[in-house]
Amino acid sequence: TIGNFCPLFSQFEKVTEVQLESTFLTSDPEMNIYAISKGLLLKYPPPYTIAYSYDLTKHGQPDNVDVYSGHRIVIYYEASQKLIILNDTLEEIIRPLYLEELGLEDISIVFTTENNDLWFYNYIDNSLTKLNGNFVPVIRSVNLNKLFEYPKTPSFMVAYRNNIYLNIPSTGVLILDVNGNYKTGLVMPGIIDFQMDGDFICYFRDNIIYRYNPITHNTGQVNIPQVPDVINAHIYKDNLVIFQSVGFSVYKSIHH
């Protein structure tokens, strides 16, 4: 069980919406919104009137995109083991790299920390390796077998506020410290991905955003406005981002 459910009733009013055909939509804790649309990676900073873009046409559709640090965007292609690192205006920080140049292989997930370290998940060894911003290994291999083993595999990982969060769809979310040591595990099976709102772990299911507090183990519920074709929704304090098949919209809660 995930503790007690406490509904957070709130009315929301729409602030803005952007129509967009996309194959990928997400946001970061600064409420920048990212999309892949017609071969471009787009970043919409608030108030969402303009977008930065990066051309992906020669690279194709990435296997994972990590936007969570806000300052660096990491784009990763598993088949070619190609890594692209962009700055906050979507310009290449360095030329695209291949992981064999860094002495890494069998990597399925790459993500960055707030201080520009990079973590690499090796699915064969079930381990994490950390390189610093100059691609020097600082943590060589954190073995995760004591936490989970194949066929349980992580679908999603982010670094946020000195923790690492791993989503294992069959079991839940694991929280590790900055060095990859186990801190705690949350039994939350069946979620595809999640986002952080302060200390809360938030995930969307059936028109409800669940906000789990890892300290109190309480889960709040936020009912989102009834709009069609919702794919996912993120919450940041009083703000709501709704991702739809036709684009995204941003709402603010109205306190009575």
Side-chain angles (χ1 to χ4, degrees), residues 12-190:
F12 290 95
E13 63 181 354
K14 189 189 289 184
V15 179
T16 190
E17 68 178 302
V18 173
Q19 303 228 319
L20 193 63
E21 278 178 55
S22 65
T23 53
F24 171 85
L25 275 171
T26 194
S27 67
D28 69 22
E30 307 286 301
M31 283 184 63
N32 298 299
I33 295 171
Y34 303 81
I36 294 176
S37 177
K38 298 177 177 159
L40 296 175
L41 175 67
L42 301 170
K43 175 184 179 178
Y44 291 87
Y48 313 109
T49 46
I50 59 142
Y52 300 108
S53 69
Y54 176 77
D55 191 348
L56 290 170
T57 44
K58 66 175 184 286
H59 305 291
Q61 179 81 9
D63 294 296
N64 63 68
V65 179
D66 176 49
V67 301
Y68 232 67
S69 80
H71 312 295
R72 284 193 167 196
I73 292 92
V74 173
I75 301 170
Y76 181 59
Y77 295 85
E78 189 178 337
S80 58
Q81 306 266 296
K82 178 164 49 176
L83 183 64
I84 298 170
I85 303 174
L86 307 178
N87 67 11
D88 56 2
T89 56
L90 302 195
E91 293 159 315
E92 289 179 3
I93 290 175
I94 47 163
R95 64 168 177 81
L97 285 167
Y98 292 89
L99 296 194
E100 61 191 28
E101 299 173 53
L102 304 176
L104 295 168
E105 58 186 10
D106 305 324
I107 301 298
S108 59
I109 298 174
V110 183
F111 58 102
T112 182
T113 68
E114 281 109 328
N115 59 358
N116 300 332
D117 294 334
L118 287 163
W119 281 101
F120 299 83
Y121 173 68
N122 179 314
Y123 61 93
I124 301 286
D125 293 345
N126 195 27
S127 66
L128 283 168
T129 296
K130 180 160 114 175
L131 306 190
N132 68 16
N134 299 318
F135 305 107
V136 176
V138 279
I139 296 177
R140 284 201 180 270
S141 184
V142 178
N143 189 314
L144 301 173
N145 284 336
K146 60 183 182 295
L147 304 180
F148 59 89
E149 289 186 348
Y150 185 84
K152 293 180 179 175
T153 51
S155 64
F156 178 72
M157 297 185 185
V158 292
Y160 179 70
R161 290 190 178 175
N162 293 326
N163 285 328
I164 298 168
Y165 296 83
L166 281 74
N167 187 43
I168 317 290
S170 50
T171 49
V173 177
L174 297 174
I175 304 178
L176 313 179
D177 70 11
V178 279
N179 298 316
N181 300 310
Y182 176 78
K183 285 178 81 169
T184 186
L186 314 172
V187 181
M188 295 157 66

Side-chain angles (χ1 to χ4, degrees), residues 186-197:
L186 314 172
V187 181
M188 295 157 66
I191 62 174
I192 304 303
D193 69 357
F194 55 88
Q195 45 108 185
M196 304 302 300
D197 176 28

